[in-house]
Amino acid sequence: MSRAGLRFSSAVLAFAVFMIDVLTPLEGAVAVLYVVAILLAARTNRRSDIIVAATGCVVLTITAYLLSHYLEAITSPALRALVSLAAIGITTLLVLQNQAATTRLAAQARLLNLSHDMIFVRDRSGVITFWNKTAEQTYGWAADEALGQLADKLLRTNYPGRREAIEAGLLDTGRWEGRVEQRTKAGAVLTVDARWALQHDHLGTPVGVLETHTDVTDRVAAHSALVQSEQRYRRMFDASRIGVVEEDWSGLRTALDSLRTEGVDLGDHLARNPDFVAHARGLARIIDVNPAMQAMAGASSSTAFIENVDKLLGENDRSFLDALVAFAEGQRFHEGETQLVRIDGAKVPVLFTITFPPGSDGDQSVLVFVVDITERKQAQDALLAAQAELAHAARVATLGELSASIAHEVNQPLAAIVTSGEAGLRWLRRDVPDLKEVATTIGHVVAQGRRASEIVTRIRTFLKKASPQQDLLQIGEVIEEATALVARELAKDDVVLIVEARHGLPPVRGDRIQLQQVLVNLLVNAGQAMSGQSGSRTITLRAGIVDSEALAITVQDNGPGIHPDDLPRLFDPFFTTKEGGMGMGLAICRTTVEAHGGRLSVASPTGSGATFQLTLPYSQVHYSP
Ligand code: ADP
């Protein structure tokens, strides 16, 4: 019923009692019924309504009495009216008290509704009698739905222990706290921290339990994620093959800060104060080491580990100073190489990276990652040894090349000396020795001997990497000398040499003997190539200008030519197809030509023998075409 309805009913009832009181001979006894009107008004829960109703009833009672017994002597009806008035008064007082208590309770209930925690009250049998707003919002049931339900059944509570034991503890101590799982109306599982408080009546009998639930689902999830991540990192830490050391550098920070306040340039100061650095090594405390690091340092467990890095580093270590400077400069990473001193005193070469986490808290967990590079060092040493061996082998090979070149180059003049000597002997053994011819042949012998010695000198200079002589040479003369040197040999093999050199070719800068040797080599090779063949054996030597910078000399034969497979290797040292060949001639020729700024190439079109072409830059200054 609404408030207005209650007020109206209360007034109607009071008036009805008044009428009965006045019109019937009940003589005031009916006035007790006014109490009902007051109780009706009290149900509006308003103090003013109760007071108005009470006052009204008192006035009506007195009015009725006066109307019926106007100034008559105070008799029993008067006493009855007084009793009625007393009843009205007492009722009013009680009702007012009750109203005040209800108002207080309502205020408390409103406070409970303001709470961020879920709060509900259940009676001793577990039936919910109060259900706050947050419980409505979080668990999903409105108060109307929750009231009267069994709390455990509604929320499908999952307790951490036996329910009976928890209840017994609650009765014993009056309180219980624990973490339980609750299911919401939508079916979600919430983890809550529950606090229970036993409620008693005024006689001390337990009447119900006030439960407060704090939702910690997110916190628990975050915590377990954190735990998982911790475990993951721990696994990485333990399983890593890289040594990891966790160190506390906060002591170092303090020491460095004290230096800083004295206004010292830290890097400089540290470099000049080995004592400070040595002291600082003792301040870098080791907190934890992983198994890989223990193995590297030869420790059987992390407890066997020295408590600071001092003993881990050798006396001559420079890496700690660098790391300290990096730390002082606020760098995040530092890398270095050093030798780790194992517990047994042996040294292990290592590479390391230090990470300095940001913030002063980070100083307490400086991580050092260490890699053992013993194998790498060994490989490096082996590589260095191999390189040294190779260099030695190269020197031996150069020596071989040197002797090979000397043998090769000197062979030709020696052969010429023998030929001339034999010719001389023949002239001498004649019945009438032709001394003039003998003198000529001896002249040849002497000339070839000189050449041989010059060749040796030149080769030695060449191999000493001394630059060749830079004479201004008339290329025509060089060609003439070279052809003269091989003329006899070629003639012996019936080789016809045709020289087609342009007159007035520009001079070239270079070494006469070396260039002569190149031509001699090419001519001798050509002759040898044709030696086995029947039919004509011709070598054509041409010399002419290619362009404004270079002149070219070609030596062409009509021999078998060069097999295409051999072409790419033709100029390699020791490449030969001849039985007693050495394979040095063309290699020396190419190097010589290139040392003169020119090029030596070969072409061998099928059926046209071989053509070697050498180009040489000529001296512009001394040439006017
Ligand atoms: P060698 O004469 O000691 O073999 P060379 O370096 O002078 O060394 O020559 C290398 C090879 O080049 C020879 O063995 C030969 O096979 C080839 N060669 C050089 N000149 C000619 C040529 N004119 N015709 C055919 N082959 C040649």
Side-chain angles (χ1 to χ4, degrees):
M1 203 185 284
S2 71
R3 266 190 190 138
L6 286 169
R7 282 179 196 140
F8 179 71
S9 312
S10 169
V12 167
L13 187 67
F15 186 68
V17 173
F18 173 73
M19 289 309 286
I20 293 167
D21 194 9
V22 173
L23 299 177
T24 61
L26 286 173
E27 303 272 307
V30 78
V32 174
L33 290 178
Y34 281 124
V35 167
V36 180
I38 293 168
L39 289 176
L40 260 180
R43 287 189 59 188
T44 65
N45 222 352
R46 287 222 157 174
R47 216 178 138 76
S48 51
D49 285 350
I50 298 167
I51 292 170
V52 167
T55 318
C57 290
V58 168
V59 169
L60 286 177
T61 306
I62 294 169
T63 311
Y65 177 81
L66 288 178
L67 282 178
S68 326
H69 314 280
Y70 187 66
L71 293 179
E72 281 177 21
I74 297 169
T75 55
S76 59
L79 284 176
R80 278 196 293 271
L82 278 179
V83 170
S84 295
L85 287 176
I88 291 167
I90 291 164
T91 308
T92 307
L93 269 179
L94 287 176
V95 164
L96 277 175
Q97 258 175 17
N98 185 43
Q99 189 269 340
T102 313
T103 311
R104 233 181 5 256
L105 271 178
Q108 279 168 2
R110 266 201 305 282
L111 276 182
L112 291 180
N113 272 336
L114 288 177
S115 165
H116 287 295
D117 289 335
M118 294 75 89
I119 299 173
F120 65 91
V121 178
R122 56 177 168 86
D123 62 19
R124 286 299 317 278
S125 53
V127 174
I128 298 169
T129 57
F130 174 78
W131 188 253
N132 83 338
K133 275 270 174 311
T134 311
E136 281 188 335
Q137 286 156 3
T138 311
Y139 290 134
W141 290 279
D144 289 349
E145 296 171 286
L147 297 180
Q149 302 272 1
L150 270 174
D152 280 357
K153 223 171 123 198
L154 184 74
L155 292 163
R156 287 189 269 170
T157 312
N158 195 358
Y159 290 97
R162 269 187 42 245
R163 178 75 173 83
E164 296 75 30
I166 295 174
E167 198 69 27
L170 174 74
L171 285 178
D172 203 23
T173 61
R175 312 193 74 80
W176 179 77
E177 283 187 17
R179 187 161 288 180
V180 295
E181 276 179 4
Q182 310 284 36
R183 231 169 238 274
T184 66
K185 191 178 182 184
V189 178
L190 297 186
T191 309
V192 302
D193 277 346
R195 282 179 300 283
W196 294 1
L198 202 57
Q199 288 185 312
H200 303 91
D201 62 10
H202 63 287
L203 295 173
T205 319
V207 288
V209 180
L210 178 88
E211 289 202 24
T212 312
H213 292 180
T214 312
D215 185 1
V216 292
T217 314
D218 290 346
R219 208 196 304 162
V220 167
H223 179 73
S224 75
L226 197 71
V227 168
Q228 264 180 17
S229 139
E230 271 287 307
Q231 283 170 346
R232 201 166 49 234
Y233 284 116
R234 187 75 220 179
R235 278 201 301 277
M236 278 162 68
F237 184 77
D238 287 344
S240 167
R241 291 192 55 205
I242 294 175
V244 187
V245 191
E246 191 182 359
E247 295 172 11
D248 179 356
W249 283 41
S250 41
L252 277 173
R253 169 83 65 202
T254 319
L256 287 170
D257 284 349
S258 70
L259 280 187
R260 224 187 289 267
T261 47
E262 287 161 29
V264 192
D265 173 36
L266 269 179
D268 215 32
H269 182 80
L270 293 177
R272 275 191 278 110
N273 277 287
D275 288 350
F276 178 85
V277 179
H279 166 67
R281 275 166 43 158
L283 294 176
R285 280 200 318 115
I286 293 177
I287 301 171
D288 203 357
V289 286
N290 74 340
M293 187 65 204
Q294 291 164 27
M296 215 182 287
S300 51
S301 73
S302 64
T303 45
F305 243 83
I306 333 81
E307 65 169 31
N308 57 50
V309 299
D310 190 37
K311 285 201 193 118
L312 272 184
L313 300 169
E315 269 176 28
N316 301 324
D317 170 81
R318 276 249 341 150
S319 68
F320 189 77
L321 166 66
D322 297 339
L324 204 59
V325 173
F327 177 63
E329 285 173 354
Q331 291 177 18
R332 290 274 150 271
F333 294 98
H334 176 70
E335 284 179 347
E337 192 178 335
T338 188
Q339 280 196 326
L340 196 92
V341 181
R342 283 166 55 96
I343 288 193
D344 60 12
K347 289 187 176 161
V348 187
V350 293
L351 277 184
F352 65 86
T353 304
I354 309 184
T355 55
F356 301 112
S360 52
D361 286 354
D363 292 350
Q364 284 156 19
S365 57
V366 170
L367 288 178
V368 188
F369 299 89
V370 188
V371 184
D372 181 347
I373 52 166
T374 312
E375 279 175 24
R376 210 158 89 180
K377 275 267 182 236
Q378 281 166 355
Q380 219 169 34
D381 291 349
L383 190 71
L384 283 179
Q387 269 171 355
E389 224 156 86
L390 205 66
H392 180 68
R395 275 201 298 279
V396 172
T398 313
L399 215 64
E401 253 176 69
L402 174 68
S403 14
S405 336
I406 293 173
H408 179 271
E409 299 298 280
V410 173
N411 204 30
Q412 193 271 329
L414 282 180
I417 288 169
V418 172
T419 316
S420 302
E422 281 170 353
L425 279 177
R426 275 198 303 278
W427 290 117
L428 263 179
R429 286 191 190 124
R430 284 198 165 190
D431 296 341
V432 183
D434 187 336
L435 290 179
K436 209 174 134 218
E437 283 295 342
V438 172
T440 317
T441 50
I442 290 177
H444 279 310
V445 168
V446 172
Q448 291 287 2
R450 279 217 185 93
R451 248 182 62 74
S453 109
E454 275 174 352
I455 287 168
V456 171
T457 316
R458 287 296 191 277
I459 288 174
R460 276 176 50 199
T461 344
F462 183 58
L463 285 168
K464 269 199 272 170
K465 295 240 179 313
S467 47
Q469 285 199 13
Q470 291 291 315
D471 300 327
L472 208 55
L473 307 172
Q474 294 305 325
I475 202 70
E477 288 174 14
V478 178
I479 293 171
E480 256 172 45
E481 285 158 8
T483 49
L485 284 168
V486 290
R488 275 165 190 272
E489 217 171 316
L490 294 180
K492 206 176 76 189
D493 288 338
D494 296 327
V495 177
V496 180
L497 172 64
I498 305 166
V499 180
E500 294 174 0
R502 242 190 65 179
H503 275 291
L505 281 172
V508 292
R509 283 217 172 265
D511 186 306
R512 177 183 295 269
I513 303 289
Q514 280 185 11
L515 289 179
Q516 263 180 26
Q517 270 316 105
V518 172
L519 292 178
V520 167
N521 265 324
L522 296 178
L523 292 168
V524 170
N525 271 349
Q528 284 173 351
M530 295 183 296
S531 63
Q533 79 186 35
S534 50
S536 78
R537 298 168 184 180
T538 317
I539 302 175
T540 316
L541 189 153
R542 295 188 181 88
I545 288 177
V546 187
D547 54 32
S548 59
E549 285 171 357
L551 55 79
I553 302 169
T554 54
V555 178
Q556 184 182 10
D557 61 57
N558 65 344
I562 296 150
H563 195 275
D565 290 348
D566 294 341
L567 273 175
R569 297 175 296 154
L570 208 68
F571 295 95
D572 290 352
F574 303 111
F575 174 78
T576 180
T577 58
K578 295 170 200 165
E579 200 144 306
M582 208 176 282
M584 286 305 293
L586 288 179
I588 294 172
C589 286
R590 178 168 267 184
T591 325
T592 309
V593 174
E594 284 172 359
H596 282 78
R599 280 173 43 77
L600 177 64
S601 58
V602 65
S604 182
T606 8
S608 333
T611 305
F612 285 84
Q613 181 182 54
L614 83 94
T615 55
L616 286 170
Y618 59 75
S619 167
Q620 314 271 337
V621 188
H622 302 89
Y623 177 63
S624 43

